Amino acid sequence: MIDMHCHLLPGVDDGPRDWDESLALVRQGAEDGIKAALVTPHLGELNPEYAEVVKEKFSELVGRVREEGIDMRLILGAEVAFDLGLERLKEFGLGTFGGRYFLLELLPLGFVSPRLEEVLFNLHLEGLRPVLAHIERYPGLVDDTKRLEKLVRTGALLQVNAEAFLRKQARTVLKLVRMGLVHIVGSDAHDPLSRPMRMAEAYGVVKEKLGARMAERIFEETPEALLSGEEVDLEPMAKEEGSIFGRIVQRLRGT
Ligand SMILES: [Fe+2]
């Protein structure tokens, strides 16, 4: 599995407090079966000094993980706050991965700006491809499959947290996965106890409910493709859950 959203760097955001906690998280993820992780510290403004600190801590993390003999590939990204002059992100040197993708956090949490589509369109013109972080946290968005489909068609990708598959929202997010409206998954780990680096249980739920192919796709294949900077097929797959047409399409596709 590839974890596409986690906070592993100590003392830069609300993630781990020190190196012990940071390494405990990575160890926890490795034991859970996570082979690679996109490290996504919060990025609230395009501040070059903060970016330097983040990069230094990331290289130190890579060194410490290697020294400890933990088998996990780490890639540096960021969880970028909405509305900070995002068009300049490409030159900023922190935040993007695979040359054009970046994890975008809509703020404040739970609120979706009416300007979202306009901002995404402008980013698209700049050659940037945002991945909307933990869409399950935005009630007005996660239930609006029409708007999600439209966002995907304008070039956005969608991420959910692994935990969402284990809670009340499981039904909702499984429906979105089935419709092709979830592209990648992350643990959104912050510390080993309250927000751990775990995804295996969620992988098991997706595999059981939607089949092994789908689990591989959103936990491994699409993440790997994005990290390599490849274009991915974002076309939503099936119509509404429960429609006969949708079910037939799913059968034919083996999902
Ligand atoms: Fe996060």
Side-chain angles (χ1 to χ4, degrees):
M1 293 178 294
I2 302 180
D3 186 350
M4 295 295 280
H5 181 167
C6 56
H7 301 261
L8 301 182
L9 302 179
V12 297
D13 58 7
D14 54 347
R17 284 163 300 180
D18 52 36
W19 283 111
D20 284 349
E21 215 170 66
S22 174
L23 287 166
L25 261 180
V26 181
R27 222 172 280 122
Q28 183 178 51
E31 279 164 16
D32 194 62
I34 295 169
K35 294 274 175 229
L38 178 69
V39 181
T40 52
H42 286 289
L43 182 63
E45 54 177 326
L46 299 189
N47 175 345
E49 284 156 33
Y50 175 76
E52 274 321 299
V53 173
V54 163
K55 285 182 200 166
E56 276 166 28
K57 294 215 173 181
F58 177 75
S59 334
E60 188 168 349
L61 178 68
V62 171
R64 285 176 182 254
V65 165
R66 196 182 303 133
E67 267 169 36
E68 295 266 328
I70 308 169
D71 180 22
M72 191 185 294
R73 178 163 60 106
L74 298 169
I75 302 99
L76 183 59
E79 183 173 7
V80 185
F82 187 67
D83 237 6
L84 45 57
L86 287 168
E87 318 70 51
R88 294 186 290 119
L89 189 66
K90 230 175 175 177
E91 301 94 79
F92 183 61
L94 172 69
T96 54
F97 57 95
R100 65 184 114 171
Y101 300 103
F102 72 100
L103 193 64
L104 175 64
E105 183 180 35
L106 303 179
L107 286 171
L109 268 183
F111 171 76
V112 182
S113 165
R115 286 184 50 237
L116 178 61
E117 279 80 359
E118 179 195 329
V119 173
L120 295 190
F121 181 73
N122 290 333
L123 291 174
H124 200 63
L125 295 180
E126 298 295 323
L128 282 161
R129 301 289 300 275
V131 182
L132 303 191
H134 40 55
I135 51 165
E136 75 279 4
R137 290 209 190 167
Y138 306 89
L141 187 63
V142 76
D143 298 320
D144 188 348
T145 51
K146 289 266 171 300
R147 190 174 186 190
L148 288 175
E149 279 188 353
K150 230 184 256 171
L151 287 169
V152 170
R153 291 210 161 93
T154 55
L157 290 98
L158 308 172
Q159 180 255 318
V160 297
N161 286 354
E163 201 190 19
F165 291 102
L166 313 175
R167 308 207 167 213
K168 273 191 288 184
Q169 282 185 306
R171 232 182 110 87
T172 307
V173 288
L174 283 166
K175 176 177 115 178
L176 296 181
V177 174
R178 194 178 284 137
M179 293 177 74
L181 293 172
V182 171
H183 303 106
I184 57 174
V185 185
S187 68
D188 203 0
H190 280 67
D191 67 81
L193 291 178
S194 63
R195 299 175 80 179
M197 194 173 190
R198 286 207 194 104
M199 295 171 72
E201 205 180 339
Y203 187 100
V205 169
V206 175
K207 189 175 166 186
E208 186 201 323
K209 303 283 184 194
L210 304 176
R213 270 304 290 125
M214 188 58 95
E216 276 164 29
R217 183 178 299 166
I218 62 171
F219 285 84
E220 283 157 11
E221 279 176 21
T222 306
E224 192 61 70
L226 299 188
L227 291 173
S228 316
E230 287 168 28
E231 273 291 345
V232 287
D233 176 16
L234 295 180
E235 198 54 27
M237 288 183 290
K239 292 292 168 200
E240 292 292 337
E241 183 193 43
S243 79
I244 293 171
F245 176 73
R247 282 169 191 245
I248 292 169
V249 171
Q250 286 154 27
R251 282 271 162 82
L252 292 174
R253 287 172 188 254
T255 57

